[in-house]
Amino acid sequence: MQASSSRLHRCLQVFAVLQWVFSFLGLAQVCLAALLLASLSRAWILVVLYLVWLYGDRDTPQAGGRRLDWVRKWAIWRHFRDYFPMSLIKTAELDPSRNYLFAFHPHGVLVTGAFCSFCTEATGFSRLFPGLKPHLLMLPCWFYLPLFRDYIMCAGLVSSNKASVAYLLSRPGGGQVAVLAVGGPLEALEAKPGALSLRIRNQKGFVKLALEHGASLVPVFSFGENDLFQQFPNPPGSWVRRVQETLQPLLTVALPLFHGRLGLLLPFRKPIHTVVGAPIPVRRSPRPSRSEVDALHALYVERLTQLFEEHKERYGIPADRHLVLT
């Protein structure tokens, strides 16, 4: 009986992960096809009404989105968490009267740890950080896709454009958390088991935004994020990498050629531990100078490195391994 229950739980975990992978890679296309088919049927009037409503709702993804707590608490997310498994680790208290910019590292292939920790309640975000509302920033292109954009906003995903971040970080009363994968799509091309490479040396836009709005910067490192998928060999300078880097600006998304278990898109069962560091207080500077940005960026990199070094051995990284900052 116990063995049967265990098999059931593992099957539910696999289903939870597969539906999530499908949501990332195929749901948008299905939504578009469904809308097209509906427009060719007797339901065309509903499509017209939806498109009219959509036009009026076009700014919502950059105005805090439309998160629904009951979606974030779906039981399926607990099975999703247990597949790997995942955990969210708090290292310092965060004042809910302030706004925060969580800088998430590494990007990984599908930003899995960030989704589970900040778009669901499976790892207990609201219990660990009462009074704070996380919003994971996603490329603006995804919010132009009908139906799909409404689904992802339910979990707290919002546009990553500057107006969206500014809206969150300027909210009076605080309590807003903008979560940004700093390395961006190109860092996904480096997401391979054991990789510790971060694109951050020239990534200073997030620091400038924090200064403009006086939002505290919080380093977040997700141990195990890069261990979920293998990638087709694409070393810098190879033809594969050149094609990927050429297409990325045109498509706005990266195209990592990845696979998981059995050569499929099912990720490996590897634990992910997302560690939220201590906040770096930031004094508001509406028009920060380059020296202010550089100084805060240097401090941020120092704190991020410190966070990694303090926790790496606990989560299976040897003492002689260090971050590679590019």
Side-chain angles (χ1 to χ4, degrees), residues 40-114:
L40 299 175
S41 70
R42 294 180 180 180
W44 66 269
I45 187 63
L46 296 178
V47 175
V48 171
L49 291 174
Y50 171 74
L51 293 177
V52 171
W53 173 83
L54 186 65
Y55 179 78
D57 193 61
R58 64 190 182 279
D59 292 331
T60 298
Q62 58 187 21
R66 188 167 43 248
R67 51 181 280 153
L68 298 175
D69 286 340
W70 69 275
V71 173
R72 293 169 53 85
K73 294 176 181 177
W74 280 351
I76 198 170
W77 302 131
R78 295 195 293 273
H79 296 298
F80 178 76
R81 171 200 65 198
D82 294 341
Y83 173 89
F84 299 93
M86 296 191 201
S87 61
L88 180 64
I89 296 91
K90 171 183 176 180
T91 64
E93 295 293 332
L94 298 183
D95 182 358
S97 67
R98 295 189 58 82
N99 294 319
Y100 297 90
L101 178 53
F102 280 20
F104 181 88
H105 311 270
H107 185 286
V109 172
L110 295 177
V111 209
T112 311

Side-chain angles (χ1 to χ4, degrees), residues 26-44:
L27 183 59
Q29 295 90 322
V30 170
C31 288
L32 284 173
L35 199 68
L36 178 61
L37 290 174
S39 68
L40 299 175
S41 70
R42 294 180 180 180
W44 66 269

Side-chain angles (χ1 to χ4, degrees), residues 23-230:
S23 295
F24 257 86
L25 303 180
L27 183 59
Q29 295 90 322
V30 170
C31 288
L32 284 173
L35 199 68
L36 178 61
L37 290 174
S39 68
L40 299 175
S41 70
R42 294 180 180 180
W44 66 269
I45 187 63
L46 296 178
V47 175
V48 171
L49 291 174
Y50 171 74
L51 293 177
V52 171
W53 173 83
L54 186 65
Y55 179 78
D57 193 61
R58 64 190 182 279
D59 292 331
T60 298
Q62 58 187 21
R66 188 167 43 248
R67 51 181 280 153
L68 298 175
D69 286 340
W70 69 275
V71 173
R72 293 169 53 85
K73 294 176 181 177
W74 280 351
I76 198 170
W77 302 131
R78 295 195 293 273
H79 296 298
F80 178 76
R81 171 200 65 198
D82 294 341
Y83 173 89
F84 299 93
M86 296 191 201
S87 61
L88 180 64
I89 296 91
K90 171 183 176 180
T91 64
E93 295 293 332
L94 298 183
D95 182 358
S97 67
R98 295 189 58 82
N99 294 319
Y100 297 90
L101 178 53
F102 280 20
F104 181 88
H105 311 270
H107 185 286
V109 172
L110 295 177
V111 209
T112 311
F115 178 86
C116 189
S117 293
F118 306 120
C119 295
T120 82
E121 289 296 333
T123 55
F125 182 90
S126 294
R127 173 177 50 83
L128 293 171
F129 302 102
L132 296 181
K133 289 185 177 181
H135 304 267
L136 181 60
L137 305 176
M138 194 172 184
L139 289 172
C141 60
W142 296 109
F143 296 94
Y144 292 111
L145 300 171
L147 299 178
F148 178 74
R149 46 93 76 179
D150 302 304
Y151 173 65
I152 61 177
M153 279 197 290
C154 290
L157 286 152
V158 296
S159 174
S160 62
N161 65 23
K162 186 175 180 180
S164 177
V165 182
Y167 178 91
L168 294 172
L169 300 184
S170 63
R171 289 300 86 195
Q176 304 299 319
V177 177
V179 184
L180 174 67
V182 173
L186 286 177
E187 193 173 88
L189 302 179
E190 298 289 346
K192 301 159 190 172
L196 295 175
S197 176
L198 302 181
R199 291 181 69 250
I200 193 171
R201 291 200 182 278
N202 296 319
Q203 305 292 94
K204 299 183 180 182
F206 73 103
V207 171
K208 186 178 180 182
L209 282 167
L211 281 165
E212 289 174 347
H213 300 283
S216 296
L217 268 178
V218 180
V220 180
F221 196 90
S222 194
F223 292 89
E225 185 73 37
N226 283 340
D227 298 333
L228 304 184
F229 296 99
Q230 288 280 3

